[in-house]
Amino acid sequence: MTRRVRQKVYQFKGKKEAIIRSNTELDGGCSNSHATYEVDWTTLPDDAVIQLFLYLNYRDRANLSATCRTYRQLGSSPCLWSSLDLRSRKFDISAAKLLSSRCANLQMLRFRGAESADAIINLQARCLRQISGEFCLDITDASLSVIVARHEMLESLYLGPDACQRISSDAIKAIANCCSKLKRLWLSGVREVRGDAINALANHCGQLVEVGFIDSEIVDEMALGNLNSVRFLSIAGTRNLKWSSATQVWSRLPNLVGLDVSRTDVSLSTVMRLLSTFRSLKVLLTLNCPVFEAEVDNSMMYNQKGKVILSFSSEIFKGIATLFADTAEIDGDVFHCWRNLKNKNRPSDEIVNWIEWVLSHTLLRIAESSPKNVDNFWLTQGAALLLSLMQSKQEEVQERAATAIATFVIIDDESATIDCWRAAAILQHGGIRLLLDLARSSREGLQSEVAKAIANLSVDSKVAKSVAEIGGINILANLARSMNRLVAEEAAGGLWNLSVGEEHKGAIAKAGGVKALVDLIFKWPSSSDGVLERAAGALANLAADDKCSIEVAGAGGVHALVMLTQSCKFEGVQEQAARALANLAAHGDNNSNNAAVGLEVGAIQALVQLTRSQHEGVRQEAAGALWNLSFDDKNREAIAAAGGVEALVSLAQSCSGSSQGLQERAAGALWGLSVSEANSIAIGREGGVPPLIALARSVVEDVHETAAGALWNLAFNPSNALRIVEDGGVPALVHLCSSSVSKMARFMAALALAYMFDGRVDDTAPLGSLEGTSKSVNLNVVRRTAFKHIGDFVRSFSDQHTFAIAATSAAPTALAQITERARISEAGHLRCSGSEIGRFVTMLRNPSSVLKTCAAFALLQFTMPGGRHAMHHTILLQDVGAPRILRGAAAAALSPTEAKIFAKIVLRNLEHHQMETSVQK
């Protein structure tokens, strides 16, 4: 996986992050160290210091307060602690007690999760006016009742947008009885809101202006008619409403000006009754109401007798504009125009703020549920609405709009697929610049949601390009350094998605992104799976680039990634860390990272262990890393010493039904290990031949190619060659040799067959046949079959007319044409040992014309100018006296024409490399 998109942040699950990491940070400490700066900051006026504190987050305020007594005193000023956002930190009872001394005048609190809810009462914040909670699934009636009982001054209570499934009408009655000054109540997902709870609100909360019972299964619509003080009511997503009685009762509400029935089964006739019977009603929201949308005439005016209808079939911006006295100058983004009006009246301002609130909530819910009927709405209105809401003065509206943008572009979270048309709509309306501007906000909650939106949108290459051009990479790199885990996590996700593009890797490194990502791994504990997975995933993408891989290693990335494979138990983190190590080890010829990974203490042992993981992706990436590491001689032996042979054979045996990627890497890792003859023998002894034969039968080119390579190496050993014959490997190799679309697979299958039948197996099985309880193979028959297909393979690279010209005159042009026709470009990456080269030279003297031709053809590939290891092979051929034997083969009267011509070309290749060496000297 190279990308990741996220719909919403994860709920805390006992993670270790804390708002403050020590009592000293909370209480402040007194430093007696002498100042070493020219400016004594403690001499600043108190007002200036307090203003400085206002620009800091809570953690930095606490840390700065710990520097001296003066800052400790000023850092506790009530104006600095009027609001508290605890959502991104673990907030429990102990943290609450440490903060309680500063919260006497706390008025606004935002929290996340049931544990934080239980700790709120320990803040001793008796003056609390607003409470906003997220991820309230586990909050109980008892917890909520205690909270409201301790905070009688409460004016606003919001729990959502996720469901509050354990909260019932009993808690709502407790709210009514304890919070007589309540003005706003908004609860999501309360399964049943009974009439007695609503009546308690009507009786005890005379100042209640706004009520929202969202996504409830049952709401007593009759009791809602008793909420006489309510001006704004939302029952969006609520089911089982009796509309006939609701219309009759609600119409008597004297102050109701805004009603939200979005995502319900309201019909057109009900909407018309609501419009005709309500005297005070000004705004009615019917977004994503399937029954209504099916019945309504698209030409229906958005304004009916002074009452505005906001629905998918209406122009929402224009509808809202009719609420203003003068709409002549309002065009396009009505919210933007309203914010800039000088002469705003309070009632209209209140209505617009409520519309922003319910729109942000409804659009987020629609984005999360992804209904199929909203595609056109997102493109024509939805994207523009969300971008407008992101500029709201209401912080929660801004954040929900950013979350909705991050969500509505997603098609499939697991496959990291987004809707390019929706992403283009955001891009078209200037959304990328807006998001990046908001990412500079000092509010960490907004930073994290905006970073998530940027990350998800950056899956689209056009958006990623725009993000890079506007300076988004620097912004994300800075956010990745945040001490707020959620901010750092989403920023790392943005860098992960941007790092997919080759054109962005260098820019990320230049912005300091590599070090920021490595630092994240060291900064956060192994339980912080989200941030660690994203950091490792981004580093994996960056490590695929040669220059960036050097920087990753230089920043301590090897140690960081190995540490993750050893200590982190989350499968996503393990997968990305293994992939990053695989990419770091893939540049063996260009830098020393391959050897560095192998030298890191515990690296190879951890990767071998990960091949036994229950998660397929982890096994795949671990095998890929071991494959790349096996190109280094020391690493190859270290893998074997760590039990890698047994582990990889076991992996190959179990992966027949697994993904193509896992099959390819399992075979590839065995191919890499089998370069060593000792490892090759061990693989055969451990039962590695049968699974490789099975993989060689795969129809997938990458899989059967790596399996052919492994079998070629194994076949060098006579015992393994015999095993391949016994286990039915000859038909599989013959099929590859004749039918594979991969020239490399055909080539290596032919070489494996040549190894198996150059005479050594005859010495092992001298009777000409292999017989056992379950196997019976006639060597003479399979040899003839193998030779036929080897010959056919080599002849497929020849042209008889050109060969005839070359045989009579050895014309350079003809030889050049034959060389180009015979070239298998990927073969230039193969590196043979001295023993293997010697074996091919010996084959040049074999009585079999097929083996002579095959050997000459193989040496042609291994010495081809431009090949990575051509010079290495040239030296080996010189060492074994090959030129003399090649000249003999080229001149032998009884040799096949192909063998003669290929031998001549090999001699020319050797001369070319010798001349090249002389010039270099």
Side-chain angles (χ1 to χ4, degrees):
M1 181 184 294
T2 56
R3 297 184 189 269
R4 175 59 58 90
V5 292
R6 297 186 70 200
Q7 293 193 21
K8 59 172 69 174
V9 295
Y10 296 129
Q11 186 171 356
F12 283 122
K13 299 179 180 177
K15 297 178 181 175
K16 303 289 185 181
E17 303 82 37
I19 179 172
I20 307 294
R21 295 207 180 269
S22 69
N23 291 6
T24 303
E25 290 179 350
L26 280 165
D27 291 339
C30 184
S31 174
N32 295 320
S33 61
H34 297 288
T36 58
Y37 301 96
E38 295 181 3
V39 177
D40 183 1
W41 294 99
T42 61
T43 62
L44 286 173
D46 291 353
D47 288 346
V49 175
I50 291 174
Q51 288 297 318
L52 175 64
F53 272 87
L54 284 171
Y55 286 100
L56 303 177
N57 58 38
Y58 309 117
R59 184 192 302 276
D60 293 338
R61 289 178 191 176
N63 288 337
L64 191 55
S65 296
T67 60
C68 66
R69 289 188 179 94
T70 301
Y71 279 5
R72 178 183 180 182
Q73 181 179 1
L74 294 175
S76 300
S77 300
C79 65
L80 296 175
W81 297 92
S82 62
S83 65
L84 198 57
D85 186 349
L86 303 172
R87 291 173 299 162
S88 62
R89 298 168 176 90
K90 181 178 174 62
F91 178 66
D92 54 16
I93 293 175
S94 60
K97 289 179 178 179
L98 291 171
L99 284 171
S100 60
S101 62
R102 305 182 183 190
C103 295
N105 296 294
L106 184 66
Q107 298 198 14
M108 194 276 284
L109 175 68
R110 302 182 73 179
F111 72 93
R112 173 172 286 149
E115 184 180 19
S116 296
D118 292 337
I120 288 175
I121 59 173
N122 293 279
L123 287 173
Q124 303 296 322
R126 294 287 185 177
C127 296
L128 203 58
R129 299 289 194 276
Q130 300 178 47
I131 294 179
S132 177
E134 299 177 1
F135 294 111
C136 302
L137 178 66
D138 295 324
I139 296 179
T140 63
D141 281 349
S143 297
L144 185 55
S145 297
V146 172
I147 289 173
V148 297
R150 297 290 184 92
H151 302 97
E152 300 89 348
M153 306 295 289
L154 203 61
E155 296 177 359
S156 175
L157 177 61
Y158 169 81
L159 299 179
D162 302 279
C164 308
Q165 294 183 356
R166 300 183 67 182
I167 294 176
S168 71
S169 294
D170 293 338
I172 298 175
K173 286 192 289 184
I175 294 169
N177 292 326
C178 297
C179 304
S180 60
K181 295 185 178 182
L182 195 66
K183 295 179 180 179
R184 170 193 275 183
L185 177 62
W186 188 283
L187 301 175
S188 295
V190 178
R191 283 176 292 181
E192 182 180 7
V193 184
R194 299 194 307 266
D196 58 343
I198 297 173
N199 290 332
L201 291 171
N203 294 330
H204 299 289
C205 302
Q207 301 179 51
L208 193 59
V209 173
E210 181 179 337
V211 171
F213 295 128
I214 310 302
D215 295 310
S216 299
E217 293 182 8
I218 299 175
V219 175
D220 190 324
E221 67 277 351
M222 299 295 289
L224 288 175
N226 297 324
L227 298 174
N228 292 327
S229 63
V230 170
R231 289 172 53 79
F232 303 100
L233 175 63
S234 177
I235 53 168
T238 298
R239 296 167 287 280
N240 299 321
L241 286 168
K242 299 179 179 64
W243 289 108
S244 58
S245 56
T247 306
Q248 182 179 359
V249 174
W250 296 353
S251 63
R252 295 198 294 266
L253 290 172
N255 299 305
L256 193 67
V257 296
L259 177 61
D260 178 20
V261 296
S262 298
R263 300 184 292 114
T264 65
D265 58 355
V266 68
S267 65
L268 175 60
S269 60
T270 300
V271 168
M272 298 310 294
R273 283 200 303 273
L274 288 171
L275 295 176
S276 61
T277 57
F278 266 97
R279 293 183 180 180
S280 59
L281 190 66
K282 291 184 176 296
V283 183
L284 176 63
L285 281 86
T286 61
L287 296 172
N288 197 30
C289 296
V291 177
F292 172 78
E293 296 292 342
E295 297 173 345
V296 71
D297 184 351
N298 289 334
S299 64
M300 179 180 177
M301 296 295 291
Y302 46 78
N303 190 303
Q304 292 284 320
K305 299 179 181 180
K307 297 176 175 62
V308 177
I309 304 173
L310 303 181
S311 68
F312 282 172
S313 58
S314 67
E315 296 183 59
I316 294 175
F317 279 144
K318 289 186 177 180
I320 298 171
T322 63
L323 295 170
F324 306 154
D326 183 7
T327 62
E329 297 181 0
I330 296 178
D331 184 28
D333 186 349
V334 65
F335 293 119
H336 176 74
C337 296
W338 174 254
R339 295 175 198 123
N340 293 326
L341 284 179
K342 295 181 179 179
N343 300 317
K344 293 188 287 186
N345 60 75
R346 188 175 182 280
S348 296
D349 198 24
E350 192 178 28
I351 292 173
V352 172
N353 286 337
W354 178 76
I355 292 174
E356 285 187 337
W357 179 273
V358 294
L359 272 178
S360 66
H361 198 286
T362 295
L363 293 178
L364 174 57
R365 277 311 202 197
I366 294 172
E368 289 173 340
S369 60
S370 300
K372 296 181 179 180
N373 62 319
V374 297
D375 287 345
N376 185 61
F377 167 76
W378 286 127
L379 299 179
T380 57
Q381 296 193 75
L385 278 169
L386 290 174
L387 292 175
S388 177
L389 292 173
M390 282 184 58
Q391 301 171 70
S392 171
K393 293 181 180 179
Q394 301 180 75
E395 294 181 4
E396 289 169 295
V397 169
Q398 280 188 302
E399 290 182 22
R400 277 198 295 273
T403 307
I405 288 176
T407 305
F408 95 118
V409 297
I410 299 171
I411 295 176
D412 186 342
D413 191 11
E414 289 302 317
S415 63
T417 307
I418 69 168
D419 189 310
C420 294
W421 291 104
R422 296 179 187 179
I426 296 295
L427 188 63
Q428 179 184 353
H429 288 91
I432 303 305
R433 186 175 295 278
L434 173 60
L435 285 164
L436 292 174
D437 288 343
L438 291 175
R440 297 185 178 96
S441 167
S442 60
R443 288 169 23 224
E444 294 176 334
L446 182 60
Q447 286 179 348
S448 66
E449 298 307 319
V450 167
K452 184 198 309 177
I454 295 170
N456 288 359
L457 288 164
S458 295
V459 172
D460 182 84
S461 59
K462 293 180 180 178
V463 173
K465 180 180 178 181
S466 177
V467 170
E469 290 175 347
I470 302 174
I473 289 176
N474 284 285
I475 292 173
L476 290 172
N478 287 332
L479 291 180
R481 301 182 182 96
S482 173
M483 293 300 293
N484 183 308
R485 182 186 63 81
L486 294 180
V487 175
E489 184 173 326
E490 301 301 348
L495 294 174
W496 185 3
N497 287 347
L498 284 166
S499 63
V500 171
E502 294 298 323
E503 66 275 22
H504 304 314
K505 288 182 170 66
I508 292 172
K510 186 176 180 182
V514 170
K515 187 176 188 307
L517 291 164
V518 172
D519 288 346
L520 281 178
I521 296 175
F522 291 120
K523 183 187 299 182
W524 296 103
S526 58
S527 59
S528 305
D529 55 314
V531 65
L532 295 178
E533 180 183 11
R534 284 155 181 76
L539 289 172
N541 287 350
L542 292 168
D545 177 82
D546 182 32
K547 292 182 179 178
C548 289
S549 73
I550 297 174
E551 185 155 349
V552 171
V558 173
H559 178 64
L561 292 163
V562 170
M563 183 179 70
L564 287 184
T565 62
Q566 294 171 323
S567 61
C568 190
K569 303 305 179 185
F570 292 98
E571 293 165 344
V573 178
Q574 293 176 339
E575 179 179 355
Q576 296 307 320
R579 186 169 71 90
L581 290 172
N583 287 346
L584 281 172
H587 307 282
D589 289 348
N590 299 327
N591 58 54
S592 60
N593 288 348
N594 188 300
V597 173
L599 290 172
E600 184 67 32
V601 176
I604 287 176
Q605 291 87 340
L607 289 168
V608 169
Q609 185 62 35
L610 289 182
T611 62
R612 301 184 175 96
S613 169
Q614 296 298 312
H615 187 268
E616 182 173 312
V618 176
R619 298 197 302 272
Q620 174 176 311
E621 299 303 339
L626 292 172
W627 182 9
N628 288 345
L629 288 168
S630 66
F631 285 95
D632 180 88
D633 294 341
K634 293 182 180 179
N635 287 343
R636 189 184 310 123
E637 302 314 314
I639 293 169
V645 170
E646 297 85 349
L648 290 167
V649 167
S650 176
L651 183 63
Q653 290 170 339
S654 64
C655 73
S656 59
S658 303
S659 67
Q660 299 170 7
L662 176 57
Q663 293 178 349
E664 177 196 6
R665 287 163 177 77
L670 288 173
W671 182 9
L673 280 184
S674 62
V675 169
S676 160
E677 187 168 7
N679 290 344
S680 176
I681 294 171
I683 291 170
R685 187 172 57 245
E686 290 295 327
V689 170
L692 286 170
I693 292 173
L695 293 175
R697 294 192 177 100
S698 170
V699 297
V700 180
E701 179 180 342
D702 291 338
V703 175
H704 65 235
E705 187 173 282
T706 52
L711 289 171
W712 169 40
N713 281 352
L714 291 178
F716 185 82
N717 177 267
S719 296
N720 283 338
L722 197 57
R723 289 190 180 98
I724 295 172
V725 175
E726 288 180 318
D727 292 320
V730 173
L733 290 168
V734 163
H735 178 74
L736 283 186
C737 186
S738 59
S739 305
S740 175
V741 296
S742 164
K743 290 182 180 179
M744 274 290 286
R746 295 169 61 202
F747 178 50
M748 292 184 294
L751 297 186
L753 291 170
Y755 278 172
M756 292 160 60
F757 297 110
D758 67 351
R760 301 193 184 196
V761 172
D762 293 340
D763 297 334
T764 307
L767 298 179
S769 66
L770 302 172
E771 295 185 0
T773 57
S774 61
K775 302 172 184 176
S776 179
V777 179
N778 189 304
L779 285 179
N780 292 324
V781 173
V782 294
R783 181 189 293 109
R784 286 195 295 271
T785 303
F787 279 5
K788 176 184 182 302
H789 286 87
I790 294 172
D792 291 343
F793 165 73
V794 175
R795 283 190 293 273
S796 69
F797 290 87
S798 63
D799 174 73
Q800 294 303 316
H801 176 70
T802 309
F803 267 77
I805 296 174
T808 56
S809 63
T813 303
L815 292 177
Q817 290 177 351
I818 293 171
T819 301
E820 285 307 308
R821 182 181 176 89
R823 181 189 296 269
I824 301 174
S825 57
E826 298 91 339
H829 297 283
L830 297 175
R831 180 184 174 94
C832 295
S833 66
S835 298
E836 289 175 296
I837 291 295
R839 190 158 179 177
F840 286 118
V841 172
T842 302
M843 283 187 200
L844 292 173
R845 295 172 166 176
N846 195 288
S848 168
S849 60
V850 170
L851 289 178
K852 286 181 181 178
T853 306
C854 181
F857 181 79
L859 293 174
L860 180 152
Q861 302 299 332
F862 298 143
T863 59
M864 195 79 76
R868 180 184 295 182
H869 305 293
M871 187 61 70
H872 164 74
H873 295 143
T874 297
I875 294 172
L876 294 179
L877 285 167
Q878 297 287 353
D879 290 344
V880 297
R884 178 177 57 83
I885 299 171
L886 285 164
R887 283 192 288 271
L894 299 178
S895 291
T897 302
E898 290 87 352
K900 293 180 181 179
I901 301 301
F902 290 148
K904 290 180 181 179
I905 295 173
V906 174
L907 286 168
R908 290 185 62 194
N909 290 346
L910 296 180
E911 292 172 1
H912 169 81
H913 293 307
Q914 285 179 318
M915 291 177 59
E916 193 175 62
T917 302
S918 299
V919 170
Q920 290 175 353
K921 290 181 179 180

